[in-house]
Amino acid sequence: MSGAAASGEGPVWEVFVQEKAGDPHKHAGSVHAHDAEMALQHARDVYARRGQVASMWVVPHAAISASMPADNASFFDPADDKIYRLPAHYLSPASDRRR
Amino acid sequence: MPDGASQLTTPADFAFAGYLARLADSHLVLGHRLSEWCGHGPVLEEDLALTNLALDCLGHATVLLRLLGQADGTGRDEDQLAYFREAVEFRNVLLVEQPNGDFARTIARVFLFAAYALPLYEQLQRSTDAALAAAATKFHPELRYHLRHAARWMLILGDGTDESHRRLQEAIDAWWPYTGELFALWPDDPALIERGLIPHPDRVRAAWEATITEVLGQARLARPVAGMHMLLGGPIGRHTETLGYLLAEMQIVARSFPGASW
């Protein structure tokens, strides 16, 4: 990020767009900008000119902590081979299937 | 007599048409200058921002030229007015026709013009001409964004590096002699003000001064000395040489292939 800032384009900001009130903000892409206000303006020009937008967030890319792809096997170990971890494995007392 | 002239229901109003031409041509020429940045912006994001501003300006010009073609009694449409008039027939202020210069000059010009256009169209929303008032209501939020964008760059560049500060100060100094024309009162204007069609330029100037003082102060920029000689001429068709070259480029396709569509 410091390299991008030194290049004159400014650091990278991630852009999140909400299409209508109550919806989640979804990641739309990223822009370069020198500050948050200019990041919002660029995000508006790049991601909001077409289509409906209710709200927009910009977040400094450096503020995001991301998982490492190399860790995926252990970090995202799916639990589907341990069926006792899944709520559907357990039958409630009222369940017809038990009888 | 041009086609369609017989459909006119109102007589020509040359004083009002002259005022509309000042507005329409200023937006058209500024829009063309901004469009010259397409593909040359300092970064992709700003390239898009400048061309979006350019498109807004062309949209404003389109609406105003249509009103002009009705007010002057000729029934000309926006394309005839944009592409088939000569430089001496254009009424834009001299500020907008000057070459872009560097990015600081481009931004400083958008700032100075938007700081004028925003209060102007705020007041034109109360024009006694319903079509102009409706156009002003449509333009106003777009002009608010032009000012927001340019003012932010004024802060970033003015309060940025030594070089960005120097270039922006030079830009403000270079444009300053062109700002007096924005608020000039021309001979036909008092009657238009009397009819409630347009605001008095002093009322627009007061809002412009407040914006300029605030932003120049925040950006640590010096205001040029008072009493500087102001350049006048655009609204009476006395343009600088550069407008002819701009129009040659803007008009060449329409004149080479009249009536073409694509």
Side-chain angles (χ1 to χ4, degrees), chain B residues 217-245:
Chain B
Q218 287 174 355
R220 301 190 303 111
L221 293 163
R223 187 194 171 100
V225 291
M228 189 185 287
H229 175 69
M230 291 291 167
L231 299 165
L232 295 174
I236 52 173
R238 281 214 303 263
H239 291 281
T240 50
E241 180 189 17
T242 186
L243 182 64
Y245 293 99

Side-chain angles (χ1 to χ4, degrees), chain B residues 1-260:
Chain B
M1 181 179 284
D3 292 344
S6 60
Q7 298 164 8
L8 292 173
T9 54
T10 49
D13 182 343
F14 293 112
F16 187 45
Y19 185 83
L20 289 171
R22 265 187 261 164
L23 300 183
D25 290 344
S26 292
H27 289 284
L28 178 62
V29 172
L30 179 59
H32 186 83
R33 282 294 184 215
L34 288 170
S35 78
E36 292 174 358
W37 275 99
C38 185
H40 301 279
V43 295
L44 172 68
E45 290 84 343
E46 190 57 28
D47 196 290
L48 285 167
L50 290 173
T51 43
N52 277 333
L53 299 186
L55 285 170
D56 284 347
C57 289
L58 294 183
H60 303 156
T62 300
V63 173
L64 292 166
L65 287 172
R66 279 182 203 144
L67 298 183
L68 168 56
Q70 293 160 14
D72 73 1
T74 63
R76 287 176 291 182
D77 68 15
E78 64 272 22
D79 284 349
Q80 288 173 292
L81 287 163
Y83 297 129
F84 295 95
R85 282 182 302 155
E86 305 302 319
V88 293
E89 297 173 89
F90 274 72
R91 293 291 177 265
N92 58 279
V93 291
L94 298 175
L95 173 68
V96 297
E97 71 194 36
Q98 306 308 313
N100 283 323
D102 61 11
F103 182 67
R105 283 216 186 181
T106 300
I107 285 297
R109 172 163 57 189
V110 172
F111 169 68
L112 293 169
F113 188 83
Y116 144 83
L118 186 67
L120 172 65
Y121 285 98
E122 197 163 295
Q123 298 187 32
L124 281 173
Q125 292 179 52
R126 295 188 290 278
S127 170
T128 50
D129 183 87
L132 179 57
T137 301
K138 180 174 178 295
F139 300 169
H140 193 256
E142 295 175 358
L143 292 164
R144 185 174 291 287
Y145 183 75
H146 290 205
L147 181 59
R148 177 175 169 174
H149 185 70
R152 195 67 196 180
W153 271 120
M154 294 285 291
L155 297 187
I156 291 172
L157 297 176
D159 203 15
T161 64
D162 287 346
E163 184 183 2
S164 71
H165 179 84
R166 175 180 60 77
R167 285 183 183 235
L168 190 58
Q169 184 67 61
E170 286 174 5
I172 290 291
D173 294 347
W175 292 137
W176 202 255
Y178 296 99
T179 57
E181 197 173 58
L182 300 173
F183 311 105
L185 191 68
W186 296 94
D188 284 338
D189 290 351
L192 298 175
I193 297 167
E194 186 70 22
R195 291 162 60 195
L197 290 167
I198 69 170
H200 194 288
D202 286 350
R203 295 177 58 202
V204 180
R205 184 198 283 269
W208 183 81
E209 291 279 356
T211 305
I212 298 299
T213 301
E214 182 188 345
V215 174
L216 290 188
Q218 287 174 355
R220 301 190 303 111
L221 293 163
R223 187 194 171 100
V225 291
M228 189 185 287
H229 175 69
M230 291 291 167
L231 299 165
L232 295 174
I236 52 173
R238 281 214 303 263
H239 291 281
T240 50
E241 180 189 17
T242 186
L243 182 64
Y245 293 99
L246 181 151
L247 294 181
E249 183 171 315
M250 189 180 84
Q251 296 176 331
I252 180 67
V253 174
R255 289 186 179 213
S256 301
F257 306 97

Side-chain angles (χ1 to χ4, degrees), chain A residues 15-37:
Chain A
V15 180
F16 298 84
V17 174
Q18 182 191 50
E19 290 183 359
K20 59 178 193 290
D23 281 359
H25 284 70
K26 291 181 188 163
H27 187 236
S30 56
V31 295
H32 293 91
H34 293 282
D35 62 18
E37 163 66 13

Side-chain angles (χ1 to χ4, degrees), chain A residues 19 25 31 44 53 59 63 69 74-75 82 84 87 90 95:
Chain A
E19 290 183 359
H25 284 70
V31 295
R44 172 258 194 197
V53 175
V59 178
S74 57
F75 200 64
K82 302 168 184 131
Y84 52 86
Y90 297 94
S95 169

